[in-house]
Amino acid sequence: PAGWNEVVSAAAGALQAGGLVALPTDTVYGVACLAQDSGAVRSIYSLKGRNGAKPLAICLGDVDRLYRYCQVNVPDELLRDLLPGPVTLVLKRSEELNKDLNPFTSLVGVRIPNHPFVRELARACSGPLALTSANISCQASTLTVSEFQDLWPQLSLIIDGGPIGDVQSPECRLGSTVVDLSVSGKFTIIRPGCALTSTVEILRQKYGLTPEPP
């Protein structure tokens, strides 16, 4: 679309300057910052009033980049069967990831949203994005930019991608399915999210992984 590249570079510029950018994903609206920028990571926590012990996911543009920031113990094909898509994969983090991002855990959730803008923006930035939903902690996730108006003053840029999914449908607000793949041969569903059935089917039937209770 017209102006697409300008918007991507404006958003990348705002992130590189340490700002927070609200953007549409394939599930709900999110707020992103550069994961390797500790000051920006602190800003995202204060924006959301979020408990510092709740981890942030990282967001990448492509599966290939995942290997820099995570220790992968599943087949590459499995990653590509689930990503890009409405799934957050939890893996062991690598040394390359900012130590100030989720310093209390050796794991990290990875998102590659099936949304062209977010992927393009992630590719335009040097490191991964830290991504969280655009809402105050413990409030409902948002499907339009007007639903998180109270956060606007603290954001550097807001990308309005229009309504995501059906605003009337509670299912549309579930966010991504979060699955822990850090233990070889097993998987644990941390949050059912919006893609539970298809995710479990791929992990169990195609790859023979065993479900563990959370």
Side-chain angles (χ1 to χ4, degrees):
W4 176 271
N5 292 344
E6 288 82 340
V7 179
V8 171
S9 24
L15 291 169
Q16 263 130 20
L20 306 182
V21 173
L23 38 71
T25 72
D26 52 355
T27 53
V28 295
Y29 270 86
V31 175
C33 73
L34 294 186
Q36 304 297 72
D37 179 339
S38 302
V41 168
R42 283 193 293 277
S43 300
I44 242 176
Y45 275 96
S46 80
L47 169 86
K48 288 187 56 116
R50 188 182 175 97
N51 167 355
K54 274 184 86 172
L56 292 172
I58 61 169
C59 167
L60 301 167
D62 300 284
V63 170
D64 300 341
R65 295 189 70 191
L66 193 143
Y67 290 88
R68 269 187 76 170
Y69 303 103
C70 302
Q71 299 171 31
V72 179
N73 57 354
V74 293
D76 186 72
E77 193 190 350
L78 183 157
L79 299 179
R80 291 171 198 277
D81 277 343
L82 295 175
L83 303 173
V87 183
T88 301
L89 300 183
V90 177
L91 297 160
K92 285 205 161 56
R93 59 194 283 158
S94 78
E95 286 300 305
E96 189 116 356
L97 200 57
N98 180 3
K99 303 283 183 290
D100 290 337
L101 182 84
N102 315 333
F104 43 81
T105 171
S106 59
L107 306 177
V108 68
V110 186
R111 264 295 256 133
I112 302 178
N114 191 9
H115 192 290
F117 179 79
V118 188
R119 294 184 67 195
E120 203 57 48
L121 177 59
R123 290 183 190 121
C125 296
S126 49
L129 306 180
L131 184 66
T132 180
S133 51
N135 56 341
I136 303 277
S137 262
C138 305
Q139 291 185 4
S141 46
T142 54
L143 300 175
T144 65
V145 295
S146 59
E147 290 180 350
F148 57 89
Q149 246 166 341
D150 41 355
L151 303 183
W152 289 5
Q154 297 171 72
L155 299 167
S156 303
L157 194 63
I158 297 158
I159 310 296
D160 187 350
I164 300 174
D166 174 3
V167 261
Q168 299 306 317
S169 156
E171 280 74 57
C172 283
R173 295 183 191 270
L174 292 174
S176 62
T177 295
V178 182
V179 58
D180 185 339
L181 295 176
S182 62
V183 179
S184 290
K186 302 187 187 307
F187 71 91
T188 304
I189 299 296
I190 295 172
R191 178 176 77 190
C194 62
L196 180 65
T197 313
S198 56
T199 303
V200 168
E201 200 168 288
I202 288 170
L203 295 174
R204 289 186 77 153
Q205 292 173 7
K206 187 165 179 186
Y207 294 97
L209 300 188
T210 318
E212 292 281 293

